PDB file of all heavy atoms in Angstrom:
ATOM      1  N   THR A 124      27.639  16.537  -9.649  1.00  0.00           N
ATOM      2  CA  THR A 124      27.403  16.082 -11.017  1.00  0.00           C
ATOM      3  C   THR A 124      28.084  17.016 -12.003  1.00  0.00           C
ATOM      4  O   THR A 124      28.527  18.113 -11.645  1.00  0.00           O
ATOM      5  CB  THR A 124      25.896  16.042 -11.329  1.00  0.00           C
ATOM      6  OG1 THR A 124      25.388  17.382 -11.285  1.00  0.00           O
ATOM      7  CG2 THR A 124      25.141  15.149 -10.359  1.00  0.00           C
ATOM      8  N   GLU A 125      28.134  16.591 -13.240  1.00  0.00           N
ATOM      9  CA  GLU A 125      28.693  17.442 -14.296  1.00  0.00           C
ATOM     10  C   GLU A 125      27.867  18.709 -14.438  1.00  0.00           C
ATOM     11  O   GLU A 125      28.410  19.796 -14.677  1.00  0.00           O
ATOM     12  CB  GLU A 125      28.728  16.679 -15.623  1.00  0.00           C
ATOM     13  CG  GLU A 125      29.329  17.483 -16.750  1.00  0.00           C
ATOM     14  CD  GLU A 125      29.351  16.739 -18.072  1.00  0.00           C
ATOM     15  OE1 GLU A 125      28.974  15.560 -18.123  1.00  0.00           O
ATOM     16  OE2 GLU A 125      29.751  17.371 -19.068  1.00  0.00           O
ATOM     17  N   ALA A 126      26.556  18.585 -14.260  1.00  0.00           N
ATOM     18  CA  ALA A 126      25.680  19.762 -14.348  1.00  0.00           C
ATOM     19  C   ALA A 126      26.027  20.783 -13.275  1.00  0.00           C
ATOM     20  O   ALA A 126      25.978  21.993 -13.516  1.00  0.00           O
ATOM     21  CB  ALA A 126      24.224  19.331 -14.225  1.00  0.00           C
ATOM     22  N   ASP A 127      26.393  20.321 -12.083  1.00  0.00           N
ATOM     23  CA  ASP A 127      26.788  21.237 -11.012  1.00  0.00           C
ATOM     24  C   ASP A 127      28.060  21.992 -11.387  1.00  0.00           C
ATOM     25  O   ASP A 127      28.175  23.192 -11.142  1.00  0.00           O
ATOM     26  CB  ASP A 127      27.015  20.479  -9.699  1.00  0.00           C
ATOM     27  CG  ASP A 127      25.766  19.772  -9.197  1.00  0.00           C
ATOM     28  OD1 ASP A 127      24.667  20.336  -9.329  1.00  0.00           O
ATOM     29  OD2 ASP A 127      25.904  18.649  -8.677  1.00  0.00           O
ATOM     30  N   ASP A 128      29.002  21.286 -11.986  1.00  0.00           N
ATOM     31  CA  ASP A 128      30.254  21.900 -12.396  1.00  0.00           C
ATOM     32  C   ASP A 128      30.025  22.912 -13.512  1.00  0.00           C
ATOM     33  O   ASP A 128      30.555  24.031 -13.467  1.00  0.00           O
ATOM     34  CB  ASP A 128      31.250  20.822 -12.838  1.00  0.00           C
ATOM     35  CG  ASP A 128      32.615  21.391 -13.121  1.00  0.00           C
ATOM     36  OD1 ASP A 128      33.190  22.047 -12.227  1.00  0.00           O
ATOM     37  OD2 ASP A 128      33.118  21.193 -14.240  1.00  0.00           O
ATOM     38  N   VAL A 129      29.230  22.546 -14.503  1.00  0.00           N
ATOM     39  CA  VAL A 129      28.938  23.451 -15.616  1.00  0.00           C
ATOM     40  C   VAL A 129      28.216  24.693 -15.093  1.00  0.00           C
ATOM     41  O   VAL A 129      28.547  25.826 -15.477  1.00  0.00           O
ATOM     42  CB  VAL A 129      28.097  22.733 -16.697  1.00  0.00           C
ATOM     43  CG1 VAL A 129      27.523  23.715 -17.703  1.00  0.00           C
ATOM     44  CG2 VAL A 129      28.932  21.675 -17.396  1.00  0.00           C
ATOM     45  N   ARG A 130      27.251  24.489 -14.223  1.00  0.00           N
ATOM     46  CA  ARG A 130      26.524  25.617 -13.635  1.00  0.00           C
ATOM     47  C   ARG A 130      27.473  26.537 -12.872  1.00  0.00           C
ATOM     48  O   ARG A 130      27.357  27.760 -12.949  1.00  0.00           O
ATOM     49  CB  ARG A 130      25.423  25.097 -12.708  1.00  0.00           C
ATOM     50  CG  ARG A 130      24.359  26.103 -12.396  1.00  0.00           C
ATOM     51  CD  ARG A 130      23.201  25.517 -11.593  1.00  0.00           C
ATOM     52  NE  ARG A 130      22.585  24.387 -12.249  1.00  0.00           N
ATOM     53  CZ  ARG A 130      22.610  23.130 -11.789  1.00  0.00           C
ATOM     54  NH1 ARG A 130      23.201  22.834 -10.663  1.00  0.00           N
ATOM     55  NH2 ARG A 130      22.015  22.156 -12.449  1.00  0.00           N
ATOM     56  N   ALA A 131      28.432  25.967 -12.162  1.00  0.00           N
ATOM     57  CA  ALA A 131      29.410  26.776 -11.421  1.00  0.00           C
ATOM     58  C   ALA A 131      30.225  27.647 -12.380  1.00  0.00           C
ATOM     59  O   ALA A 131      30.418  28.841 -12.128  1.00  0.00           O
ATOM     60  CB  ALA A 131      30.331  25.870 -10.603  1.00  0.00           C
ATOM     61  N   VAL A 132      30.685  27.054 -13.459  1.00  0.00           N
ATOM     62  CA  VAL A 132      31.490  27.815 -14.428  1.00  0.00           C
ATOM     63  C   VAL A 132      30.660  28.946 -15.037  1.00  0.00           C
ATOM     64  O   VAL A 132      31.107  30.097 -15.108  1.00  0.00           O
ATOM     65  CB  VAL A 132      32.046  26.890 -15.538  1.00  0.00           C
ATOM     66  CG1 VAL A 132      32.700  27.692 -16.649  1.00  0.00           C
ATOM     67  CG2 VAL A 132      33.023  25.886 -14.959  1.00  0.00           C
ATOM     68  N   LEU A 133      29.442  28.639 -15.461  1.00  0.00           N
ATOM     69  CA  LEU A 133      28.602  29.658 -16.092  1.00  0.00           C
ATOM     70  C   LEU A 133      28.209  30.759 -15.109  1.00  0.00           C
ATOM     71  O   LEU A 133      28.274  31.949 -15.449  1.00  0.00           O
ATOM     72  CB  LEU A 133      27.350  29.014 -16.700  1.00  0.00           C
ATOM     73  CG  LEU A 133      27.586  28.056 -17.864  1.00  0.00           C
ATOM     74  CD1 LEU A 133      26.291  27.409 -18.305  1.00  0.00           C
ATOM     75  CD2 LEU A 133      28.259  28.759 -19.023  1.00  0.00           C
ATOM     76  N   TYR A 134      27.792  30.393 -13.922  1.00  0.00           N
ATOM     77  CA  TYR A 134      27.396  31.398 -12.924  1.00  0.00           C
ATOM     78  C   TYR A 134      28.568  32.302 -12.560  1.00  0.00           C
ATOM     79  O   TYR A 134      28.413  33.518 -12.491  1.00  0.00           O
ATOM     80  CB  TYR A 134      26.850  30.740 -11.665  1.00  0.00           C
ATOM     81  CG  TYR A 134      25.469  30.139 -11.795  1.00  0.00           C
ATOM     82  CD1 TYR A 134      24.901  29.448 -10.747  1.00  0.00           C
ATOM     83  CD2 TYR A 134      24.721  30.251 -12.970  1.00  0.00           C
ATOM     84  CE1 TYR A 134      23.643  28.880 -10.853  1.00  0.00           C
ATOM     85  CE2 TYR A 134      23.469  29.686 -13.084  1.00  0.00           C
ATOM     86  CZ  TYR A 134      22.932  29.008 -12.026  1.00  0.00           C
ATOM     87  OH  TYR A 134      21.686  28.452 -12.124  1.00  0.00           O
ATOM     88  N   GLU A 135      29.710  31.716 -12.314  1.00  0.00           N
ATOM     89  CA  GLU A 135      30.864  32.528 -11.918  1.00  0.00           C
ATOM     90  C   GLU A 135      31.315  33.430 -13.059  1.00  0.00           C
ATOM     91  O   GLU A 135      31.749  34.553 -12.825  1.00  0.00           O
ATOM     92  CB  GLU A 135      32.013  31.634 -11.440  1.00  0.00           C
ATOM     93  CG  GLU A 135      31.723  30.942 -10.132  1.00  0.00           C
ATOM     94  CD  GLU A 135      31.325  31.893  -9.008  1.00  0.00           C
ATOM     95  OE1 GLU A 135      32.008  32.920  -8.820  1.00  0.00           O
ATOM     96  OE2 GLU A 135      30.333  31.605  -8.321  1.00  0.00           O
ATOM     97  N   TRP A 136      31.212  32.944 -14.278  1.00  0.00           N
ATOM     98  CA  TRP A 136      31.615  33.749 -15.426  1.00  0.00           C
ATOM     99  C   TRP A 136      30.744  35.011 -15.521  1.00  0.00           C
ATOM    100  O   TRP A 136      31.235  36.102 -15.775  1.00  0.00           O
ATOM    101  CB  TRP A 136      31.495  32.923 -16.704  1.00  0.00           C
ATOM    102  CG  TRP A 136      31.871  33.685 -17.940  1.00  0.00           C
ATOM    103  CD1 TRP A 136      31.023  34.213 -18.880  1.00  0.00           C
ATOM    104  CD2 TRP A 136      33.192  34.018 -18.373  1.00  0.00           C
ATOM    105  NE1 TRP A 136      31.736  34.847 -19.864  1.00  0.00           N
ATOM    106  CE2 TRP A 136      33.072  34.746 -19.585  1.00  0.00           C
ATOM    107  CE3 TRP A 136      34.460  33.776 -17.860  1.00  0.00           C
ATOM    108  CZ2 TRP A 136      34.172  35.224 -20.279  1.00  0.00           C
ATOM    109  CZ3 TRP A 136      35.552  34.254 -18.561  1.00  0.00           C
ATOM    110  CH2 TRP A 136      35.402  34.973 -19.748  1.00  0.00           C
ATOM    111  N   TYR A 137      29.448  34.843 -15.292  1.00  0.00           N
ATOM    112  CA  TYR A 137      28.551  35.993 -15.414  1.00  0.00           C
ATOM    113  C   TYR A 137      28.535  36.872 -14.169  1.00  0.00           C
ATOM    114  O   TYR A 137      28.167  38.041 -14.243  1.00  0.00           O
ATOM    115  CB  TYR A 137      27.146  35.541 -15.805  1.00  0.00           C
ATOM    116  CG  TYR A 137      27.121  35.146 -17.255  1.00  0.00           C
ATOM    117  CD1 TYR A 137      27.128  33.815 -17.631  1.00  0.00           C
ATOM    118  CD2 TYR A 137      27.186  36.105 -18.256  1.00  0.00           C
ATOM    119  CE1 TYR A 137      27.166  33.453 -18.961  1.00  0.00           C
ATOM    120  CE2 TYR A 137      27.222  35.750 -19.589  1.00  0.00           C
ATOM    121  CZ  TYR A 137      27.208  34.425 -19.937  1.00  0.00           C
ATOM    122  OH  TYR A 137      27.260  34.077 -21.259  1.00  0.00           O
ATOM    123  N   LYS A 138      28.953  36.338 -13.030  1.00  0.00           N
ATOM    124  CA  LYS A 138      29.031  37.140 -11.805  1.00  0.00           C
ATOM    125  C   LYS A 138      30.312  37.962 -11.741  1.00  0.00           C
ATOM    126  O   LYS A 138      30.322  39.035 -11.141  1.00  0.00           O
ATOM    127  CB  LYS A 138      28.980  36.231 -10.565  1.00  0.00           C
ATOM    128  CG  LYS A 138      27.600  35.844 -10.149  1.00  0.00           C
ATOM    129  CD  LYS A 138      27.526  35.021  -8.889  1.00  0.00           C
ATOM    130  CE  LYS A 138      28.765  34.864  -8.088  1.00  0.00           C
ATOM    131  NZ  LYS A 138      28.658  33.968  -6.951  1.00  0.00           N
ATOM    132  N   THR A 139      31.379  37.475 -12.330  1.00  0.00           N
ATOM    133  CA  THR A 139      32.684  38.114 -12.216  1.00  0.00           C
ATOM    134  C   THR A 139      32.771  39.322 -13.138  1.00  0.00           C
ATOM    135  O   THR A 139      32.447  39.240 -14.324  1.00  0.00           O
ATOM    136  CB  THR A 139      33.802  37.104 -12.574  1.00  0.00           C
ATOM    137  OG1 THR A 139      33.689  35.979 -11.714  1.00  0.00           O
ATOM    138  CG2 THR A 139      35.163  37.728 -12.437  1.00  0.00           C
ATOM    139  N   THR A 140      33.235  40.424 -12.574  1.00  0.00           N
ATOM    140  CA  THR A 140      33.389  41.626 -13.397  1.00  0.00           C
ATOM    141  C   THR A 140      34.712  41.617 -14.161  1.00  0.00           C
ATOM    142  O   THR A 140      34.772  42.066 -15.294  1.00  0.00           O
ATOM    143  CB  THR A 140      33.312  42.893 -12.519  1.00  0.00           C
ATOM    144  OG1 THR A 140      34.252  42.782 -11.457  1.00  0.00           O
ATOM    145  CG2 THR A 140      31.913  43.082 -11.975  1.00  0.00           C
ATOM    146  N   ASP A 141      35.759  41.086 -13.537  1.00  0.00           N
ATOM    147  CA  ASP A 141      37.057  41.009 -14.197  1.00  0.00           C
ATOM    148  C   ASP A 141      37.277  39.583 -14.708  1.00  0.00           C
ATOM    149  O   ASP A 141      37.727  38.704 -13.979  1.00  0.00           O
ATOM    150  CB  ASP A 141      38.174  41.424 -13.234  1.00  0.00           C
ATOM    151  CG  ASP A 141      39.512  41.578 -13.939  1.00  0.00           C
ATOM    152  OD1 ASP A 141      39.566  41.381 -15.178  1.00  0.00           O
ATOM    153  OD2 ASP A 141      40.495  41.895 -13.246  1.00  0.00           O
ATOM    154  N   LYS A 142      36.937  39.358 -15.960  1.00  0.00           N
ATOM    155  CA  LYS A 142      36.996  38.013 -16.550  1.00  0.00           C
ATOM    156  C   LYS A 142      38.418  37.471 -16.633  1.00  0.00           C
ATOM    157  O   LYS A 142      38.622  36.274 -16.727  1.00  0.00           O
ATOM    158  CB  LYS A 142      36.381  38.012 -17.958  1.00  0.00           C
ATOM    159  CG  LYS A 142      34.999  38.601 -18.060  1.00  0.00           C
ATOM    160  CD  LYS A 142      33.961  37.736 -17.434  1.00  0.00           C
ATOM    161  CE  LYS A 142      32.579  38.242 -17.770  1.00  0.00           C
ATOM    162  NZ  LYS A 142      31.673  38.228 -16.693  1.00  0.00           N
ATOM    163  N   LYS A 143      39.415  38.346 -16.580  1.00  0.00           N
ATOM    164  CA  LYS A 143      40.804  37.897 -16.657  1.00  0.00           C
ATOM    165  C   LYS A 143      41.205  37.075 -15.435  1.00  0.00           C
ATOM    166  O   LYS A 143      42.153  36.294 -15.503  1.00  0.00           O
ATOM    167  CB  LYS A 143      41.736  39.103 -16.801  1.00  0.00           C
ATOM    168  CG  LYS A 143      41.550  39.856 -18.087  1.00  0.00           C
ATOM    169  CD  LYS A 143      42.396  41.099 -18.093  1.00  0.00           C
ATOM    170  CE  LYS A 143      41.981  41.976 -19.257  1.00  0.00           C
ATOM    171  NZ  LYS A 143      42.493  43.336 -19.131  1.00  0.00           N
ATOM    172  N   LEU A 144      40.500  37.276 -14.334  1.00  0.00           N
ATOM    173  CA  LEU A 144      40.825  36.541 -13.112  1.00  0.00           C
ATOM    174  C   LEU A 144      40.304  35.104 -13.134  1.00  0.00           C
ATOM    175  O   LEU A 144      40.708  34.290 -12.306  1.00  0.00           O
ATOM    176  CB  LEU A 144      40.243  37.264 -11.887  1.00  0.00           C
ATOM    177  CG  LEU A 144      40.796  38.666 -11.620  1.00  0.00           C
ATOM    178  CD1 LEU A 144      40.051  39.317 -10.466  1.00  0.00           C
ATOM    179  CD2 LEU A 144      42.290  38.612 -11.346  1.00  0.00           C
ATOM    180  N   MET A 145      39.431  34.807 -14.070  1.00  0.00           N
ATOM    181  CA  MET A 145      38.826  33.471 -14.141  1.00  0.00           C
ATOM    182  C   MET A 145      39.811  32.474 -14.744  1.00  0.00           C
ATOM    183  O   MET A 145      40.388  32.729 -15.797  1.00  0.00           O
ATOM    184  CB  MET A 145      37.558  33.502 -14.998  1.00  0.00           C
ATOM    185  CG  MET A 145      36.442  34.352 -14.452  1.00  0.00           C
ATOM    186  SD  MET A 145      35.553  33.552 -13.124  1.00  0.00           S
ATOM    187  CE  MET A 145      34.845  32.179 -13.965  1.00  0.00           C
ATOM    188  N   SER A 146      39.976  31.349 -14.085  1.00  0.00           N
ATOM    189  CA  SER A 146      40.866  30.309 -14.599  1.00  0.00           C
ATOM    190  C   SER A 146      40.147  29.381 -15.582  1.00  0.00           C
ATOM    191  O   SER A 146      40.788  28.687 -16.356  1.00  0.00           O
ATOM    192  CB  SER A 146      41.449  29.495 -13.445  1.00  0.00           C
ATOM    193  OG  SER A 146      40.412  28.833 -12.754  1.00  0.00           O
ATOM    194  N   ARG A 147      38.826  29.375 -15.533  1.00  0.00           N
ATOM    195  CA  ARG A 147      38.041  28.548 -16.464  1.00  0.00           C
ATOM    196  C   ARG A 147      37.027  29.441 -17.160  1.00  0.00           C
ATOM    197  O   ARG A 147      36.362  30.252 -16.540  1.00  0.00           O
ATOM    198  CB  ARG A 147      37.304  27.432 -15.705  1.00  0.00           C
ATOM    199  CG  ARG A 147      38.245  26.398 -15.129  1.00  0.00           C
ATOM    200  CD  ARG A 147      37.521  25.394 -14.267  1.00  0.00           C
ATOM    201  NE  ARG A 147      36.587  24.589 -15.033  1.00  0.00           N
ATOM    202  CZ  ARG A 147      35.709  23.761 -14.465  1.00  0.00           C
ATOM    203  NH1 ARG A 147      35.669  23.632 -13.149  1.00  0.00           N
ATOM    204  NH2 ARG A 147      34.895  23.058 -15.200  1.00  0.00           N
TER     205      ARG A 147
END
Side-chain angles (χ1 to χ4, degrees):
T124 65
E125 182 181 356
D127 299 322
D128 187 56
V129 167
R130 198 174 303 114
V132 172
L133 294 176
Y134 286 176
E135 291 306 313
W136 179 256
Y137 286 103
K138 277 183 9 185
T139 303
T140 53
D141 189 1
K142 308 289 190 222
K143 295 174 192 165
L144 297 175
M145 296 282 296
S146 63
R147 292 174 65 189

